[in-house]
């Protein structure tokens, strides 16, 4: 019986192929086993972000789950795919709008909550995929900057979206100072707000129709 030549090209190729198959199988098994946990963590993170936009922070996982069930009444969809969450905070109706846009280095996102007049911002929370730490990342890391949106008006008298992030505030009712040193990221937030909150007009019309009936 001939001895197996472990130095031959055929042996090396076969050995490598078998090793790759085993590693791939193990990785696939681990991914599948951990996916439910990963999905649960992603879902919890989204719930926390929604709560942040409602000015509810500092909760651990279990507390956040309980608070979310308490304040978020329903997830709904209006005209042209406009999505929002109807919530109740301290007995008052709030609407949370999910937002998506582009920053300097990648995607940005956020949630903005509005009062039942569908025009006054109650709270805001922003997130990002890879903005520069200390600069563009401040849209997520700076609670103080996010709090500047509270009380701002979304629409101008003519019905256009007035809320904006600008270098120099001219209209304090609806404008917020940009993040220092992060003009492009700030512009991305401004565009995201303008595009994402436009759908509130249809919700205003829907609400008025219900009230008239």
């Amino acid at each position: 019986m001939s001895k197996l030549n472990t130095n031959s090209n055929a042996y090396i190729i076969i050995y490598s192929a078998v090793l790759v198959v085993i590693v791939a199988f193990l990785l696939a098994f681990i991914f599948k086993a951990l996916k439910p946990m990963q999905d649960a963590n992603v879902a919890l993170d989204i719930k926390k972000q929604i709560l942040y936009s409602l000015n509810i922070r500092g909760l651990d996982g279990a507390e956040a789950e309980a608070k979310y069930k308490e304040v978020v009444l329903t997830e709904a969809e209006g005209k042209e795919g406009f999505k929002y969450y109807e919530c109740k905070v301290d007995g008052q109706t709030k609407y949370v709008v999910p937002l998506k846009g582009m920053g300097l280095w990648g995607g940005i996102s956020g949630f903005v909550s509005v009062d039942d007049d569908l025009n006054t911002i109650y709270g805001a929370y922003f997130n990002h995929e890879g903005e520069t730490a200390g600069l563009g990342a401040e849209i997520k890391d700076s609670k103080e900057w996010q709090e500047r949106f509270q009380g701002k008006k979304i629409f101008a008298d003519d019905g256009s979206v007035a809320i904006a992030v600008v270098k120099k505030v001219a209209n304090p009712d609806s404008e917020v100072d940009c993040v220092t040193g992060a003009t492009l990221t700030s512009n991305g937030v401004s565009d995201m707000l303008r595009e994402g909150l436009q759908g509130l007009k249809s919700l205003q019309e829907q609400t008025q129709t219900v009230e008239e009936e």
Side-chain angles (χ1 to χ4, degrees), residues 26 66 99 129 154 158:
L26 290 175
L99 306 170
E129 294 178 2
I154 297 171
D158 63 2

Side-chain angles (χ1 to χ4, degrees), residues 50-81:
I50 292 172
L51 293 176
Y52 293 160
S53 76
L54 291 165
N55 306 318
I56 302 172
R57 301 177 182 241
L59 304 180
D60 63 24
E63 292 171 335
E65 287 280 8
K67 194 65 176 178
Y68 183 88
K69 290 179 181 178
E70 175 189 334
V71 303
V72 179
L73 304 180
T74 182
E75 179 180 356
E77 184 172 319
K79 295 180 180 179
E80 299 179 357

Side-chain angles (χ1 to χ4, degrees), residues 6 16 24 28 31-32 37 42 55 64 93-94 98-99 116 160 163 195 207:
T6 58
S16 299
F31 175 79
K32 186 174 181 179
M37 185 183 299
V42 170
N55 306 318
T93 299
K94 308 294 179 184
L99 306 170
D116 58 3
S160 62
I163 185 70
E195 295 171 8
T207 303

